Amino acid sequence: MLGDASLSRRLLIAAGFFIAVAMVIATVLIGFVLHRFVQGQIDQRLDTQIVFLSSMLRADGNGRISLVGNADGPPFERPHRGWYWQVTGPANTLRSASLEGDDIARVAPAEPAPPSRPREDREPRDKRPRPADGPGPGDEPLHFRIKQVAVSGAPLTIVASAPRAAVWGPLREAMTTLGFSLAVLGLALVTAMMFQIRLGLRPLERLRRAVADVRRGAIERVPARQPQEIQPLVVELNGLLDENAANLERARRHVANLAHGLKTPLATLAIAVSGARDPATLQPLIGLMERRIRHHLGRARSAALSGPVRTQTLIAPRLADLGAVLGKINAAKPVLFALDVPHDCAVACEQQDFDEMAGNLMENGFKWAHGKVAVHAVREGRMVVLSFEDDGNGLPTAQREQVLRPGERLDESAPGFGFGLSITSELAELYGGDLRLVESPLGGLRAILRLPAA
C-alpha cells in the first residue's frame, strides 16, 4: 500500500509512527522517573518521622518505652488517613493519635535492594528503614517504612506508614498533565513535519513544472540550478532532452535535404516524360517513385515529430518577414499586404516547417493576387486557424482538390512544379492539422490552415 502512496504521505506516516513510539517511550520513562521521585519524597518523610521517633524514645529497666514530647505532628494527627506510626517494644506499644487505638497490621518487609558501593556520607544499609506494602487498619493500601532500633538495650520496632494514594494521587495528576503536554508536543511535531515535508518536496514540484514547461515548449531545458539531491536527475533529464533534440534535428535535416533534393528533379522528369514519344512506359514508374519518396518522407517526419512537441513558433514575426520578402520579390506588381495576427499567437511546430507552409501559401497569394493579400489568425480551442486570402481570380470548386495533389498544375505557363500546396497539406496533417481551400470574400482564393496551438 505504501509503495503506491505519495512521498508526502509515506513521510507523514513514517514520521507519525516514530513520533507516536517516541511519545509512548517518553511517557513510560517519565512516569517511571516521576514515580521514583514521588515515592522517594514519601519515603524520606516517613524516614524523618522514624528518626524523630527514635530520638524521643526512652526505656526503663523493665523494657517499658515512652516518648519524651509529642510525635503526632502533621499529617500524623489526622485519624484514619493512612499516616500512622507505631513503636513496638518488649513490654508495651506506642501508637500515633491517628490510629485511635488500632494496631497496624503485621506486614512482611520487602526484600532490601542490592548493595551498592558504600559512601562515607551515606548511612549503612542495614541501619536504614526497610520498605513494605500492606493493608492498614481499615484494609486501605498502605506503604510502610520499618526500622529496628535499640533504646537502653531494649529492641524496638518502629513502623511509619503513608497511604498509597499519597503516591498515586500526585503521580496521576502529574501524568495527566504530562500526557496532555506530550499530546500537544506530538501534534506540534506532526504539524512541523507536514510543513517540513512540504518545504522539502517543493523542489520536486518546481521540477515537475519545469518539465511541463519543456513539454509545452516554454523552455528548452530544465533549469540546472537545483538542490544537490535532485541535481543528478536534472542532469540526466537535460542530457535526454539534448539527445532527443539532436536526433530530431538530424531527422528533420535529412528529411528536408531528401525532400528538396528529389522534389525538383522528379518534377522535371515528369515534365520531360510528358513530352516524350512514349510516356506510357515511364509515367507509371515516375508515379511509383513519387509515391515511395513521399511515403518514406512522411514516415521519417512522423518519427521525428512523434511524442510531445516541445517546440513553439510565434507566427506574427514569421509572417511579417515572409510578407516583406515576397513584397520585394514581387515589387513589379504592387500588392498590399495586410496582416492581422495576435503578437502572442504561437503554433506547436518547427519554425522551418511553418515557414515552408506559410511561404507556399503566401507565395501563391502574391503570385495570383491583383492588388491585395491578407493573412488572418485566430485561436480556436487547441488549434490556431490561419487564413491566407488574395483578390485574384480564385479557383472553381472542382479544381480545389486537384491542386492539392502532388505535381498538379492548372497553369503550365506559370513558374513552379505544382508541389507547394501538396507539401503544405502533408506537413499540416503530420502536425495534426489540415489545409482547406475555399472562396475568399476578396474575390480570390482563401487557404485555411489549421495547426495545433502552443
Side-chain angles (χ1 to χ4, degrees):
M1 292 184 295
L2 285 180
D4 298 332
S6 64
L7 287 177
S8 58
R9 181 177 300 176
R10 295 175 65 179
L11 291 173
L12 279 176
I13 292 175
F17 173 75
F18 288 114
I19 289 175
V21 171
M23 293 295 105
V24 171
I25 295 175
T27 301
V28 173
L29 292 178
I30 296 176
F32 176 75
V33 172
L34 286 176
H35 179 268
R36 291 285 301 271
F37 175 77
V38 175
Q39 185 70 62
Q41 295 296 314
I42 298 297
D43 288 347
Q44 184 177 5
R45 192 168 193 174
L46 295 178
D47 291 350
T48 302
Q49 181 68 17
I50 290 175
V51 172
F52 180 63
L53 289 169
S54 299
S55 64
M56 299 175 65
L57 289 172
R58 298 290 184 271
D60 57 16
N62 297 323
R64 187 173 183 82
I65 57 174
S66 61
L67 282 175
V68 180
N70 183 17
D72 289 329
F76 294 94
E77 84 281 7
R78 293 177 292 181
H80 299 291
R81 294 295 183 90
W83 295 94
Y84 310 128
W85 61 264
Q86 180 173 304
V87 181
T88 303
N92 66 326
T93 300
L94 302 178
R95 303 174 184 85
S96 63
S98 57
L99 279 172
E100 295 184 339
D102 294 331
D103 287 333
I104 297 179
R106 182 181 297 274
V107 294
E111 293 294 332
S116 59
R117 180 183 300 178
R119 299 189 316 189
E120 295 180 358
D121 59 343
R122 190 170 183 175
E123 184 180 6
R125 183 170 297 275
D126 58 351
K127 293 184 179 181
R128 294 173 58 192
R130 294 172 295 171
D133 290 314
D139 292 332
E140 70 273 23
L142 298 180
H143 175 69
F144 301 95
R145 298 288 286 182
I146 306 170
K147 187 176 182 180
Q148 305 289 335
V149 298
V151 176
S152 301
L156 308 177
T157 300
I158 303 176
V159 179
S161 69
R164 292 301 301 175
V167 177
W168 294 114
L171 184 62
R172 188 181 301 110
E173 294 180 2
M175 291 302 296
T176 301
T177 304
L178 175 65
F180 178 76
S181 301
L182 289 178
V184 173
L185 176 61
L187 181 62
L189 289 176
V190 171
T191 304
M193 183 61 65
M194 292 176 61
F195 283 105
Q196 182 179 0
I197 291 173
R198 179 171 297 182
L199 181 63
L201 295 181
R202 188 173 297 174
L204 293 180
E205 176 62 21
R206 288 199 298 265
L207 178 61
R208 185 198 65 79
R209 290 198 298 265
V211 173
D213 290 340
V214 172
R215 184 174 180 270
R216 290 188 295 106
I219 57 177
E220 294 183 358
R221 304 176 83 252
V222 178
R225 189 175 180 181
Q226 299 289 344
Q228 183 177 0
E229 289 75 10
I230 64 175
Q231 183 68 34
L233 175 60
V234 173
V235 172
E236 294 297 330
L237 278 176
N238 285 331
L240 180 61
L241 292 174
D242 293 340
E243 183 178 354
N244 288 342
N247 292 337
L248 177 63
E249 178 61 24
R250 282 195 297 269
R252 186 195 60 78
R253 187 167 58 249
H254 291 322
V255 168
N257 292 339
L258 182 59
H260 290 290
L262 294 179
K263 181 176 64 175
T264 301
L266 186 61
T268 304
L269 180 59
I271 295 172
V273 169
S274 64
R277 294 182 179 180
D278 189 13
T281 59
L282 297 179
Q283 192 67 40
L285 180 60
I286 294 176
L288 178 61
M289 293 170 57
E290 190 271 335
R291 287 193 301 272
R292 292 284 180 85
I293 290 172
R294 291 197 170 276
H295 171 71
H296 289 289
L297 286 177
R299 288 187 61 186
R301 188 176 293 273
S302 296
L305 298 177
S306 62
V309 178
R310 300 194 306 270
T311 58
Q312 63 174 353
T313 300
L314 289 173
I315 62 177
R318 306 309 306 162
L319 294 172
D321 291 344
L322 288 172
V325 172
L326 290 173
K328 294 179 180 178
I329 294 176
N330 298 274
K333 180 177 64 173
V335 176
L336 175 63
F337 176 59
L339 182 63
D340 181 17
V341 177
H343 70 280
D344 59 345
C345 189
V347 292
C349 66
E350 295 282 349
Q351 178 178 312
Q352 181 174 341
D353 292 336
F354 178 78
D355 289 348
E356 184 170 358
M357 290 184 284
N360 288 334
L361 297 177
M362 291 178 63
E363 184 178 4
N364 286 338
F366 274 89
K367 182 189 299 183
W368 303 108
H370 295 318
K372 184 176 182 180
V373 173
V375 179
H376 172 73
V378 64
R379 174 79 176 263
E380 292 184 358
R382 297 184 178 182
M383 305 297 289
V384 173
V385 180
L386 297 100
S387 298
F388 299 84
E389 306 180 60
D390 63 74
D391 60 351
N393 297 328
L395 282 177
T397 304
Q399 295 178 343
R400 292 170 189 167
E401 294 295 331
Q402 180 182 353
V403 297
L404 292 178
R405 293 195 291 267
E408 294 290 343
R409 304 179 63 212
L410 301 180
D411 187 358
E412 297 292 341
S413 63
F417 300 99
F419 285 92
L421 291 178
S422 64
I423 291 176
T424 301
S425 178
E426 291 176 0
L427 283 175
E429 291 176 359
L430 289 173
Y431 280 104
D434 56 56
L435 174 65
R436 292 187 298 114
L437 301 179
V438 297
E439 183 179 356
S440 171
L442 299 179
L445 187 67
R446 171 187 281 182
I448 301 177
L449 178 63
R450 297 174 70 252
L451 294 172

